[in-house]
Amino acid sequence: MRFTIERIRTLVVVAAALLLVALGIFLARAKWKNLLSRRDLPQRLGLGITEESNGYSYSHNLGAHSKYKIHAAKEIHLKNDHVELHDVVIEIYGEDGIQTDKIAGDEFEYDQKSGIASAKGPVEMMLTRPPGTVVGSKKPAGNGKKVDRSHTVADALGDAGQVQVKTSGVSFDRNTGVLTTAQRVDFTMTQGSGSAVGATYDSQRGYLTLVQAVELTTYRGEDKVQIRAQHAEFDRGSQECLLRAATMDYRDGQTDAAQAKILFRGDGSAAHLDATGGFVVTTSTGGRLASPTAAMDFDEHSQPRHGHLEGGVTMDSKQEGASAQEGRTVHGASPTAELDFTAQGQLRHAHLERGVTMQSEASSLESAGQMLHVSRTWRSPVADVDFRTIKGGGQTAGKTQEEPETIHGTGGVVITSESRRGNAPAVPAKMIADDVTGTFGAGATLRTLVGTGHAGMEQTTATGAQQRASGDRLTAQFVAEEEQGNVRSPVSKSKPGAPGGAETAGAPNVQTAELDGHVTLFEQPAARPGAQPQPPLRGTAGKAVYEGAGEWLHLTLNPRIVNGGLELTADKVDVSRQSDDAFAHGNVKATWTGGDSTGGGNQGGTNQSRTGQGSVALGGNGPAHVIAAEAQMNQSTEEAIFRGHARLWQQANSVAAPEIVLNQQLQTLTARTTDAADPVRAVLLSQSAPGAGIGAGNTHGQGAAGRTAANPEAPSVIRVRGGDLKYSAAEHRAVMHGGVAGAVVAETGSATSTSDTVDLLLAPAGKGGGGQAQGGQAQTAGGEAQSASGQAQVDRMTATGHVVLVSEGRRGTGEQLVYSGATGDYVLTGTAAARPRMTDPGRGNVTGEVLIFHSRDDSVSIEGGGHQTRTETTAPQMHGR
């Protein structure tokens, strides 16, 4: 915003000089009035004439000193009542008797009938300021004291205090008191020179008019200043100067005013300026400030104090870059602008209101060799800008200039931006807040933004992903301009106002951003060709901190994340703006609802996943819950990973492991461990046949939760532990391997088995209610067993590889063991080379092709050789059955 500070006061200061010069020429502190406004002057010239052929003199005394003297070398009386005076010199004296001004002409002619005196030929005037006299003062300064010359005529006339004037064709009308000339008027002074064509002075009204082509060349220090005006007027009584079509050219630019009215104090200093019909300030660096009307107040030293621009203020600037393609342009607009200045006349504050708009366009070449184009727009009802004064560099070295220090917008601020790298698509972003304050660094580069009240950021990435964040307060810090180009843009996939990524950059120099209070977060991944839409990531927190360098968003103070069917809370949640992945730390708690992964919600009022076959967790209809120390949600794979004493449960089914992975896209659950001392553990319900598992092995009279002698048909529990577990919702199947644990151990209410692998087939969860068959199962339309309890239950368990079964004191070995929840039977088989074997403490060893353990009555059946044999190996019964 440098374009607002380009020495606005210069116009007024130099205009004051023009006025004072003009006054010196035509007024000379009303001396012309003293000389020519007297109606009886021509008569006095005639009355005092003594007929001398070679000399004429006339003087008018005031007190003990002469007021003025007129000398002529020759006089001629003409027959037409005209009087000619030749070689005329008019000397004007001050009240102290010291000569101040001198007017000389070759010939003057006076028409006694019309009362008009005319100068024939050129006229020269030398106007001199009495030493130490302040304009408007009647007494000379002195008394041994230093005179304050800061607002004397010397400021305009120079140290010598003299102005030399040359003109011609001067006439004076005795009847009206008007002095006129249609000729060119030239004046010279120590600090410059000027001219005008045509002049009129009304001595009675004290009104001076410079008719046209007004020009003044002067200097401010070593800098040349040129002022041109189409027309100029001065009212001595009101101390007002009017300039029309005025233009001022100076080192730093140009100022234009269609019409400017300047009010002066009695001491000659400017007090007020009114410009109408268009006021424009243009800088040498491409800056432009314009408004239809402008008003300016000045202090006693003619320094600007306050300014008011109205009618549609526009501000434009242009800054060239290192190459032709690089650079920055700024355009601002506001119906009104209030300007405040320091005591030294430097811009201190600008107040813009009634709808402020600021737009910037910047292009730069990054270190990677591609062009970065960034545009920003600020909109607010009100904006206040504070400026600071700095020392210029380069061509302005040693001089001071103003640049913005802070900007403050109120009433609802909206900052939008759009960036594009190379030929990549444009990336929009937006920042909003009720109140926004920004600070600027060196070179007017934006350093910080603080937004309060309904603060938020939103953006769309180059790939089409949408990101939004909001809170009570937003604080953003930007990378210093000199650091840019070496730092990868921290606006990933993205601000006004907002964070983003390498190929996007809504606000490409955001270093950090912080949201406080009632923080909400929304991120919708971009659609992938041929893939189903990914669920949005939603979050809430008390605080969110964005780090531009790593493109991370940190959520703290009770953060909560919802991603598709997963809801998660933790002490802290980190979200990567590059990948949209989320990482939860400390006291992680999650709920898996089994909802549609597209984010569209459940259909038909059920909690089924998009496969329509039950929850991805453990096949039940209810939500699954997870606790862990850490969690990670991978947006691209739709995978949630829980680590550190992770435990997942869904109704009565549960899994515990060092790591649990839920994949919503594949509809799978995976649990694994790397420590044999901390195996994967699963507890699953198994629908048992009537009386199953009630025997000597049930020492507590209850084989599973809810299953007692009085309720023998209640489901039992299968406990499995091993090295890893994988569950597929599509297959309703859970497979556990021994892995680092060495073997899989499965425990039911009546038996324990070890093996290399255990395969658990779960009956799909039903909707509950009627249709219950024997064993607590219903049948699907395809004849498949279905749990009627509303949660998944084990229909069959298959253990393979080095199987060892222990039940009621008996021990069986083989290669495969199949357990059926519907019948309660364990079927143990082997290979042709190694048949299954059972060791009974009372009966010894038994073998066959198939050994069947019946949990209903604790008996064993042996099959082989085309026939079946039932052994008498029934274990003793528990009392009370």
Side-chain angles (χ1 to χ4, degrees), residues 7 142 221 233 360 445 604 626 669-670 722 742 800 879:
R7 308 289 186 186
E233 299 178 12
S360 67
T445 57
V626 187
L669 178 152
T670 302
T800 58
H879 296 290

Side-chain angles (χ1 to χ4, degrees), residues 4 29 117 140 178 373 432 456 567 603 629 655 731 853 870:
T4 65
R29 294 177 57 233
V178 175
H373 304 275
I432 59 174
E567 300 180 11
Q603 302 296 326
V655 175
E731 300 176 354
F853 292 75
R870 186 178 183 85

Side-chain angles (χ1 to χ4, degrees), residues 566-604:
L566 180 65
E567 300 180 11
L568 179 145
T569 63
D571 294 338
K572 180 182 179 181
V573 177
D574 300 325
V575 180
S576 170
R577 304 305 293 271
Q578 292 182 355
S579 62
D580 293 325
D581 293 347
F583 300 82
H585 311 277
N587 197 29
V588 176
K589 299 177 181 178
T591 298
W592 190 279
T593 61
D596 187 353
S597 68
T598 64
N602 299 323
Q603 302 296 326

Side-chain angles (χ1 to χ4, degrees), residues 9 104 164 243 262 317 448 535 608 740 755 837 843 851:
R9 63 182 183 276
Q164 185 177 6
L243 300 175
I262 308 172
S317 69
T448 64
Q608 292 181 337
V740 297
S755 59
R837 179 182 297 274
R843 299 288 182 174
L851 301 180

Side-chain angles (χ1 to χ4, degrees), residues 716-748:
S716 63
V717 172
I718 297 179
R719 291 180 172 85
V720 186
R721 64 178 183 271
D724 63 76
L725 171 71
K726 183 174 183 180
Y727 169 76
S728 171
E731 300 176 354
H732 309 296
R733 184 182 301 275
V735 179
M736 181 175 284
H737 299 89
V740 297
V744 180
V745 178
E747 298 177 351
T748 66

Side-chain angles (χ1 to χ4, degrees), residues 215 279 728 750:
E215 294 185 0
F279 177 77
S728 171
S750 56

Side-chain angles (χ1 to χ4, degrees), residues 631-693:
Q632 174 183 347
M633 287 175 285
N634 190 304
Q635 189 72 21
S636 61
T637 62
E638 300 183 42
E639 195 171 66
I641 304 172
F642 300 88
R643 298 185 179 93
H645 305 290
R647 180 173 179 267
L648 178 149
W649 70 95
Q650 185 180 40
Q651 296 172 312
N653 297 335
S654 66
V655 175
E659 181 177 283
I660 297 176
V661 181
L662 296 173
N663 192 303
Q664 191 168 4
Q665 183 179 18
L666 301 178
Q667 293 286 285
T668 60
L669 178 152
T670 302
R672 47 185 173 244
T673 183
T674 58
D675 186 0
D678 189 13
V680 177
R681 301 174 184 271
V683 178
L684 305 172
L685 287 183
S686 173
Q687 184 66 51
S688 299

